[in-house]
Amino acid sequence: MPESDAGRHLQNQLEILIQDFRRSTEPPMPVFVVHAQESRDDDAVAGLVRQLYAGQEAHGTRCAVTQDAYEGTTEVRRAAALVRALSDPRKWGGPKAVYRRYAFPRLRLVHAIDDAVAALGDSWPTPAPGSPEAGQDQQQRLLNELAQQRWRPKNTARWRSGLPLFDMAHILPASLVTVLAALLARSEWYMAVGSGLVFLLLLTVLNYVLPGRAPIFLWLRRESRWFMTTTFLRAADQEESTEVSLLRPVRSWKAIAARAYDVAEALTAGGDFHLQLCVLALREDLRDNHRRWSWDLRGFKRPRPPMLFLPHADESNGGIELIRAISDVRSRRSELDPLLVVAAVRTHDVPRLERSVVQTAPAPETAPPTFGVRLRTWYREWGRNLRAEQSPSRERSVLPWVMTIPLPHDQLGPVEEGRHHLRASARPTLARLVWALHTLVLVIALLSAATVMRADALHDRYCSASVLTANRDTRREQAPDGRTECIGIATDDVRFADWLPAPGAGDDLKALTAGDETPWTVTDLEDRIARQNADVLAGHADKYVTVVYAGPLSADPAAGSSLVKGAEELAGVYLAQAVINENSSVKLRVLIANGGVDLGHQEEMAEAIAAYAAHDPTVVGVVGTGRDLKSSRATTRTLMEAGLPVVSGTNSATYLPREFANWFSLAATDEWQTRQLGLIAAQLRRHDRRQYALVLARDTARTDDLYTDEQARYGQGMLRRQGFTPLPQRRYTLTGGKPELRSHAQEICRSGRVPSVVYFAGRVEDIDPLMTQLGTEPGCAGKPLAILTGDDLSKADFAGGGHSVAPKVTLYHAALAELQTAATGTAFYQDAAQYLPGLRGQRLRYDSPALASGQTALAHDATRALFWAATRGDRPQSRASTWVNLRNVKIEGMATGTIDFTGAPLYGDRTGHSIVLKKVSRADDGTAETRVLCRRTAGDTKRLTQQECRIR
């Protein structure tokens, strides 16, 4: 702490300025030049300055102290060497200095050019005639030397802080941009980080390893921008561009090269230019180090201005020339800088600084003011005179920014007991507490944790997600077997085949990808549809419509649920797309939607379709939703509210066309099917005795299945109308995906009322266990029994040996697609052989195993009908027009006959469905024989008769 009264008062004045600086008032910072009134006190004044330095360092002020001597041939050169020494950040601030070290990029750039000029020698830029340098471009010589120095002063550390990354002011942000771009492209996080690291490594090699070149992004550095924009270096007759721009690197580099050459030439001329340029660079660096609204708010974190102490300002260290240069540069510039200089000069050197700001001696007072009061009065007077003293028209009798303070001998004595000096507030600033490294680490940790949690949430919720974004058109849902299935509408790179369990993952993997029962897989079809869509968007972006196929594209091997239905329907949709795009000027784009195992998540699927259609006006309708479930009403309502008509190939729900105007189906309704099966039941009824009949249905209490309930209800009514005595309806359950039928078979076959007709309201996968029980259970085995059932049995392959029939049991079932009669008038089979995977070159028929179930044919016809309505007049139609046009659809030559919606009443049942009634019985060799009893192709409204459907 100061040991004299003068030191205490000076310390107090410094603390007052620091407090004003802390309050953001930006007070003008003078150069305090203290000197003794008597030459015998010169050493005491120098010691006082050292005491002030020690006191400010103890207070945490960033301060530097000069040596007593510097090398240089002239005093100006020694002053420049003094400034050069100040470019070392270690010269500023002791262990108590807050925040990080200063940076002096502008001052180091000036020193780099000065070192390059020195390295080129005295002959630059005018080499001696005949020397090797005479024929070279002198500007290029300078640039080559600067490149060798890496545009840094010689004999300085290559990296700041020891690591190369901390010197990469623009390389690191560029790498972060690379990582962010990769994340936004929804690549995996390790791909994003890897691409950023590779880019960072590449730029590091280019920036530091390759010798003899300027650093990358030199023109974007802050020192380069200052170098090009400061008016101090702008010559009046200069015509070259001084613009630096991110988008014009070559032009920016040429501007920097020209400016460096001009500055180097000026440095060789000598004079005060070198010193003033160094002072200007030092001043701008300090201004930048205390810039409040910088990215790190460093000005708020450094509440005390930097101080420079010169205990001996004289010829040996160039201190007096430095003081003059600081005053001159500040007078030329309009901005304030934070540097506060305290210098001690010997008494005989005071005239070199001209005279003090105190123009006249203060008027005598009864009680002379103390030295502290006079010091504050002198500062206020200096501040008032500062504006006038800087005027260029005024006679320069003083250095405007210098405030000389004479110290009387009596003020240099020891401090009186009990007197204390002031100290500006040491309370940390809010910016230092909030916008600091520890806060940054905390924020980064929180953001990282939040990012990881969000990424996990996105990956847990959506089928395709990256760290920051996700494809929200598809979502993960739990399948009945506990696996995860992908539900929604597939856009971008989502493929539902990727979510199917791998072969070998379960005990029963039959038709896991439908490859066991069809020549194609879902993967094949998705890839081909994607290629068709890409061709449509690439070549016909203004003339196409989009149709969504909504079906079951998940499998549950544990429950015996296969992917055959979805795969066969998707094949029909793809076949229609391929044929349409080959032959129509308006193209068809197909999007695929998955409702999960047996359409168990079709409500979520419908919501995803509606959400997508809201921002894609080309979506004109939906094909599919081919299962009758308890959620079918909500699904159809969601699509109706979105303005989307639905054309289903296989959904036989009776209530949907009666309740929804947007519902169109090619499938005969359950009620109508059951009435046609009544033609067979009437022939099984013997009027000479009582006959019992039974409805055996799958238990749907814990499922979404409504098809079974409708079949059971309509079957019960049909049997009663035909005169059978109905037994109580029986419901069988599933255990591990297999039907529990043994107890039912025992009770049915061993009771006194054995039924002669059983209406089976179940699924095709349950028929084999039923036949096994009926063929072995006493009371039923070997006795005639008729089983009637609905269209789900049309998926069974009796002819190929996939299913069997018990002895004496005759199975009668309906099928939705009559293919045999329609085959003569359609190109469906030729198109299938040409376009469908695995069928090229084959000769296909209506009974070919891949097409015999009718699922592919019905989906094909439904797609063709919807496309016809969406392209009336050979122009793409809106979805509202498509909905209206569907009631005018009449297309002949389809796989199932003529698709005719013209007679379909609003909210009522239409006629003209395709229907087949088949009889399946056991042959002598144990195989199953199938015979068509009667049929109608689509579009034929003639009623079936009992005579036409004779069972014998």
Side-chain angles (χ1 to χ4, degrees), residues 236-252:
D237 58 348
Q238 188 174 9
E239 297 180 356
E240 293 86 354
S241 171
T242 60
E243 178 185 9
V244 287
S245 170
L246 174 66
L247 302 179
R248 294 182 175 180
V250 176
R251 182 175 179 179
S252 301

Side-chain angles (χ1 to χ4, degrees), residues 717-774:
M718 180 269 295
L719 292 174
R720 185 178 291 107
R721 287 194 302 271
Q722 296 300 331
F724 290 92
T725 301
L727 297 173
Q729 187 179 121
R730 288 185 170 272
R731 294 275 181 162
Y732 64 89
T733 60
L734 299 179
T735 302
K738 301 298 182 182
E740 290 283 352
L741 290 168
R742 183 174 180 177
S743 59
H744 292 285
Q746 290 175 348
E747 294 178 11
I748 293 172
C749 298
R750 296 179 184 181
S751 66
R753 298 182 297 177
V754 177
S756 60
V757 175
V758 173
Y759 193 94
F760 180 65
R763 293 291 183 179
V764 63
E765 54 265 26
D766 301 338
I767 195 66
D768 279 345
L770 176 62
M771 290 297 177
T772 299
Q773 295 299 328
L774 294 178

Side-chain angles (χ1 to χ4, degrees), residues 67-147:
Q67 302 172 184
D68 291 341
Y70 290 92
E71 295 182 358
T73 57
T74 65
E75 188 175 355
V76 172
R77 275 290 181 181
R78 289 191 287 273
L82 188 159
V83 179
R84 183 183 186 114
L86 296 177
S87 65
D88 185 354
R90 293 172 296 183
K91 295 289 186 182
W92 298 82
K96 293 186 178 181
V98 298
Y99 201 45
R100 54 192 176 92
R101 288 178 174 175
Y102 281 155
F104 297 96
R106 297 163 185 83
L107 189 54
R108 287 163 59 88
L109 177 60
V110 174
H111 295 332
I113 298 175
D114 186 39
D115 289 347
V117 171
L120 292 174
D122 296 337
S123 61
W124 187 90
T126 56
S131 63
E133 295 82 5
Q136 299 180 11
D137 184 351
Q138 301 306 309
Q139 179 177 340
Q140 190 60 45
R141 287 182 61 198
L142 176 67
L143 295 179
N144 291 340
E145 181 61 33
L146 284 171

Side-chain angles (χ1 to χ4, degrees), residues 25-256:
T25 57
E26 294 188 0
M29 298 296 184
V31 177
F32 287 112
V33 176
V34 294
H35 64 90
Q37 287 184 339
E38 302 176 19
S39 59
R40 61 175 179 164
D41 294 327
D42 286 345
D43 291 338
V45 172
L48 182 146
V49 172
R50 289 193 176 93
Q51 293 171 19
L52 292 174
Y53 165 71
Q56 287 300 321
E57 190 175 38
H59 288 178
T61 303
R62 290 186 176 271
C63 47
V65 63
T66 62
Q67 302 172 184
D68 291 341
Y70 290 92
E71 295 182 358
T73 57
T74 65
E75 188 175 355
V76 172
R77 275 290 181 181
R78 289 191 287 273
L82 188 159
V83 179
R84 183 183 186 114
L86 296 177
S87 65
D88 185 354
R90 293 172 296 183
K91 295 289 186 182
W92 298 82
K96 293 186 178 181
V98 298
Y99 201 45
R100 54 192 176 92
R101 288 178 174 175
Y102 281 155
F104 297 96
R106 297 163 185 83
L107 189 54
R108 287 163 59 88
L109 177 60
V110 174
H111 295 332
I113 298 175
D114 186 39
D115 289 347
V117 171
L120 292 174
D122 296 337
S123 61
W124 187 90
T126 56
S131 63
E133 295 82 5
Q136 299 180 11
D137 184 351
Q138 301 306 309
Q139 179 177 340
Q140 190 60 45
R141 287 182 61 198
L142 176 67
L143 295 179
N144 291 340
E145 181 61 33
L146 284 171
Q148 291 294 331
Q149 297 175 198
R150 307 290 298 166
W151 287 72
R152 294 184 178 87
K154 284 192 173 182
N155 303 320
T156 57
R158 187 163 188 176
W159 327 117
R160 287 179 292 172
S161 303
L163 293 175
L165 296 185
F166 290 103
D167 196 34
M168 301 171 68
H170 295 279
I171 291 180
L172 192 58
S175 303
L176 294 177
V177 170
T178 303
V179 173
L180 183 60
L183 292 177
L184 293 179
R186 298 215 319 275
S187 62
E188 296 292 339
W189 69 268
Y190 53 83
M191 292 295 295
V193 174
S195 61
L197 291 177
V198 170
F199 189 68
L200 179 61
L201 178 62
L202 175 63
L203 292 181
T204 303
V205 171
L206 294 177
N207 198 60
Y208 292 101
V209 176
L210 297 181
R213 58 176 308 282
I216 294 178
F217 305 126
L218 173 65
W219 73 94
L220 295 181
R221 291 183 174 182
R222 52 185 172 176
E223 62 267 30
S224 298
R225 293 196 299 271
W226 166 80
F227 193 55
M228 298 306 300
T229 56
T230 177
T231 57
F232 189 88
L233 299 177
R234 175 74 180 181
D237 58 348
Q238 188 174 9
E239 297 180 356
E240 293 86 354
S241 171
T242 60
E243 178 185 9
V244 287
S245 170
L246 174 66
L247 302 179
R248 294 182 175 180
V250 176
R251 182 175 179 179
S252 301
W253 166 248
K254 289 181 179 180
I256 292 175

Side-chain angles (χ1 to χ4, degrees), residues 372-448:
V373 174
R374 282 183 290 163
L375 183 59
R376 288 191 289 275
T377 302
W378 291 342
Y379 176 76
R380 287 194 294 271
E381 185 180 351
W382 171 81
R384 286 194 298 267
N385 295 334
L386 180 61
R387 183 183 305 172
E389 293 296 344
Q390 292 186 95
S391 174
S393 62
R394 185 180 179 89
E395 180 184 355
R396 302 303 296 274
S397 60
V398 295
L399 294 176
W401 287 88
V402 175
M403 179 177 169
T404 58
I405 304 172
L407 299 179
H409 178 76
D410 62 341
Q411 291 296 319
L412 296 174
V415 180
E416 295 182 16
E417 185 103 15
R419 292 184 179 272
H420 303 284
H421 69 279
L422 299 177
R423 181 176 180 179
S425 173
R427 176 174 50 85
T429 61
L430 181 63
R432 184 183 169 194
L433 296 175
V434 176
W435 194 257
L437 180 60
H438 61 272
T439 307
L440 178 63
V441 171
L442 178 61
V443 170
I444 290 177
L446 292 176
L447 288 177
S448 300

Side-chain angles (χ1 to χ4, degrees), residues 579-631:
V579 172
I580 288 169
N581 289 343
E582 182 70 24
N583 300 287
S584 175
S585 61
V586 181
K587 305 302 178 182
L588 175 61
R589 172 173 168 249
V590 173
L591 294 179
I592 305 171
N594 181 25
V597 174
D598 295 334
L599 285 179
H601 292 286
Q602 68 170 347
E603 285 189 73
E604 294 91 328
M605 175 191 68
E607 291 170 358
I609 295 173
Y612 178 84
H615 60 80
D616 186 352
T618 68
V619 178
V620 294
V622 176
V623 170
T625 63
R627 292 181 68 92
D628 182 15
L629 305 173
K630 296 173 183 176
S631 58

Side-chain angles (χ1 to χ4, degrees), residues 682-691 724:
Q683 300 177 59
L684 297 173
R685 176 74 174 94
R686 296 181 60 181
H687 299 282
D688 57 342
R689 59 186 176 88
R690 173 180 288 189
Q691 284 181 275
F724 290 92

